[in-house]
Amino acid sequence: MLRHPSWRILIILALSSLLSLCGCSESSGSSSGANSPLKGGTGATAGSGAGSGSTGSTPATGGSTGTAGNTANGGAGAFVPGTPTTGQFSMGNVTPASAARWQLARDVANQELEDLWNLMRPDIEVRLQNEAVAFAAAGTLAYQAGPVNIGVTDITGLILDAQEPPEFTSLSNTQLGMQLPRNGVWRITLNAEIGLSLAGLGINLIGIPVSMEIILSATLNATLNDTDPTRPRVASSGIPVTYINASLSSTNALVQPYLPYLSTSAAPIVQQLLQLVLGTYVSFTLQSFPGDVWADGAPPLTDSGIATPFEEIAINVDKKIREDHMPHGLLHRIEMDTPVDDEPWDVAYLNGGPQNTGNVTGYSGESDSAIHTGYYLASQAFRYASTGDPEALDNLQYTLDGVGKLLDINGGTGLLARNAAPMNSQIGQHIISRGHFGQTQLNGQTWVGWQSDSGVSRDQYSGIVFGLGITHEIVNDPAVQAECALRIRQIMDYLIAENWIVVDDRPNWTQAGGAGPTVWTVQSAYQQLGFLTIGERLNPGRYAAEIQRLDGLAPFTWLGAWISVNQLDGYYKFNLQMLNAYNYFRLETDQQRWMEMARGYRIVQRWVGHHHNPHFDMIQSAIDPALQTSLFPSVRESLRLFLTRNHRDRVPPGLDLSVIQWADFTFGSLSSPLGNTETVPTAPIPIPLRKYTGYFQWQKQPSREAVRQPTNFGAFLEKPGIDVDLPYWMGRWHGAF
């Protein structure tokens, strides 16, 4: 009976590595960004467009919009697209890439795959061997074939003969073809010692040396229907053409009579297994992918016009964040000594309201401190650019110093920490208890840094780059701009020098169970081009060569976006795509690349653009000003409804969930030819009834309802409120409020 034969583990690991590198697999982990071997998350395309500031909003009415343009700090007209011809850079006239550009995209993608494959293959081999050894030590590598029972007792060696990388054989808006390997076959040779028993014959041997060889190759092709460029669908796909062979050999005379039988039995099992694994990603997938759009056609919300003191609440939330959530310049959730069971934001944070009741007793959420600190930095940049308030400038300077600590804790190399704090602080002691990575002297104190067990992820970098890019662009302060440029330069220089692969904070990743590298190459090219565009804007000329090197990947970036838009789980990935969207389209000056990147953005927008998400809606309307008429009222109403929710991470009593209508819906699937059918709401859940989250509501799917837990632990957890101040201050800048 087949349990966990070693070749099964090896094949799955090899294929998951391959498919991840090709951008054909999807990570749906938590927002902390944990990565499996050579698998870092979602690739998709996004961008950001022009916007105008707001100076004349009337928060009390909730219905009026401000005057376009920023006059608060001398930056009028500064926050505009970096385009020489405004009319050509429009979502209304996006055109597909030319045949020559698709050919370039295929060539560049294949070169990137080859470089990455050659760089990582030795470590993959070590990782595979360590995984196999761990399974052997656990006694789980065994199978039975007829009267023969075999168990692997030791792994003595593993050879991965996979010199040739995978490659794309065709790539366009209507064709997708892959081949692995590029030429020849892949071979995995496993040298082991086994125990052998023959049922009924009384033969029981151990320590028998054997060698197992697996040979494999595959070719995959699909044709797409691109009639609706925001929702390309598979028109036809062939069954993957695969070749697999498994064989056993041994110098032991007692085993040799049974080798033909064992090899004959093993080959069909390997064939079946490999077909299953490949089918998960290709054969089955392409019959139903990507499926229909959930809640398609849900209209924007209508502005009720109810008087709401948005600005007053946002300013008080900002003060609370600065005083309670950022003891060392970095943002955290906090634990309080006094519970609050049911108190809306629009009650607690009015002038004279109870604010944040009680005293801070602890901090949490350190794994995502970097990304959320980046959000807060952006919010205060928007606030200062819109109002000129000195308090906002002080907040962003304080936060910018905290961002610097996330880099300085690792020597200013560009390796970003998830969190950092003085060693003797409460947060610092918590970091030490979990195992700190960096340690250095900063401002006369010993600081320690936290990378988490899985190392820093792309989402942490995304939040920081998002905040730095916006702050540099709209805050007319030379010292602030110089600091932003320095930190972006550190990050970009590091990522380029490391070939867009981060392993420095996980030196043991090749060990069994270790966290794999964080990889941008190919699968997250949209982030590479987005980061580089910001870096070039802040440091002119420094990244022109790297942009030119990766320019051909722009047409390719739609693929990662397309693969991601078939599910609501792992919703945070859409937030990462939209963050990149906001900055990229605002700063890109190359029209051809802008148009090619826009294809992926529009695919993501088609999936999430109707979810009544004020954060996404502000980004959409900034990218495409034609949407402001419909989305600005929806932003105001969405935020107004959010302010009626409890500011603690505790679902209040008495929510009427009966208003939510449910029905079966079939999502496109990467594992089933018929898709996955789930019972889900028929429309985005009303914002007051959505599932609570401790940090940032707008990166959570709108299809899960709030459920009140029997314990009141959440009543002690105070949420920061960046889901209030980021969409509000961004809206002030662009004229939504």
Side-chain angles (χ1 to χ4, degrees), residues 335-341 356-361 648 715-717:
E335 301 164 11
M336 306 299 295
D337 62 4
T338 305
V340 174
D341 193 62
N356 185 24
T357 305
N359 301 299
V360 178
T361 62
R648 295 284 172 90
F716 292 88
L717 299 179

Side-chain angles (χ1 to χ4, degrees), residues 121-312:
R121 182 168 34 81
D123 287 335
I124 294 173
E125 183 172 354
V126 175
R127 174 61 179 261
L128 291 176
Q129 178 163 333
N130 288 330
E131 293 283 0
V133 169
F135 275 96
T140 57
L141 299 182
Y143 66 93
Q144 178 181 357
V148 181
N149 290 280
I150 293 180
V152 178
T153 58
D154 189 21
I155 303 295
T156 59
L158 182 146
I159 300 173
L160 176 64
D161 183 6
Q163 303 296 320
E164 291 286 323
E167 84 167 359
F168 288 95
T169 55
S170 62
L171 184 64
S172 73
N173 59 321
T174 59
Q175 296 291 326
L176 176 61
M178 294 179 61
Q179 178 173 300
L180 59 100
R182 177 176 58 191
N183 296 302
V185 297
W186 284 349
R187 285 182 172 87
I188 301 173
T189 304
L190 183 69
N191 298 317
E193 292 184 354
I194 66 171
L196 171 66
S197 66
L198 301 178
L201 299 180
I203 296 178
N204 189 9
L205 304 174
I206 61 173
I208 303 172
V210 298
S211 179
M212 176 181 293
E213 183 179 66
I214 304 164
I215 302 174
L216 61 94
S217 65
T219 302
L220 327 164
N221 289 286
T223 300
L224 307 180
N225 183 337
D226 197 40
T227 303
D228 178 359
T230 69
R231 196 69 177 170
R233 293 177 180 268
V234 173
S236 63
S237 62
I239 297 176
V241 179
T242 59
Y243 171 77
I244 313 98
N245 184 54
S247 61
L248 289 172
S249 62
S250 177
T251 59
N252 189 289
L254 290 177
V255 177
Q256 288 175 355
Y258 302 98
L259 290 177
Y261 175 71
L262 291 176
S263 296
T264 302
S265 300
I269 298 174
V270 175
Q271 175 77 38
Q272 183 181 10
L273 173 65
L274 190 57
Q275 186 69 36
L276 175 63
V277 174
L278 286 175
T280 296
Y281 290 95
V282 182
S283 180
F284 288 168
T285 294
L286 300 182
Q287 301 303 320
S288 62
F289 203 81
D292 295 331
V293 175
W294 173 74
D296 197 16
L301 297 177
T302 301
D303 187 349
S304 65
I306 296 173
T308 306
F310 289 110
E311 183 176 37
E312 178 181 314

Side-chain angles (χ1 to χ4, degrees), residues 569 662 681 685 689-692 701-706:
D569 290 339
W662 300 78
I685 291 178
L689 306 181
R690 292 183 186 178
K691 181 181 178 180
Y692 274 50
Q701 64 244 56
S703 57
R704 292 187 179 176
E705 75 278 24

Side-chain angles (χ1 to χ4, degrees), residues 19 21 99 187 209 269 294 299 402 420 516 536 555 589 636-638 714 723:
L19 293 165
L21 291 175
R187 285 182 172 87
I269 298 174
W294 173 74
E536 181 66 11
T589 59
R636 293 191 291 272
E637 189 64 18
S638 295
D723 31 22

Side-chain angles (χ1 to χ4, degrees), residues 19-29 35 38-46 289 458-459 462 519-529 553-567 570 572-578 580 597 599-601 603-604 607 670:
L19 293 165
S20 296
L21 291 175
C22 292
C24 292
S25 62
E26 190 64 52
S27 171
S28 57
N35 301 308
L38 293 182
K39 181 176 181 181
T42 306
T45 307
F289 203 81
R458 293 194 302 266
D459 54 352
S462 293
V519 180
W520 275 265
T521 301
V522 179
Q523 64 173 333
S524 291
Y526 81 98
Q527 283 187 358
Q528 290 177 285
L529 290 169
L553 291 180
F556 175 87
T557 54
W558 74 271
L559 182 60
W562 180 67
I563 290 173
S564 73
V565 292
N566 71 311
Q567 58 179 326
Y572 73 92
K573 62 179 172 281
F574 302 122
N575 181 48
L576 302 184
Q577 292 157 359
M578 297 298 275
N580 191 78
M597 293 278 281
R599 185 174 189 238
Y601 166 74
I603 289 173
V604 174
W607 184 246
L670 294 175

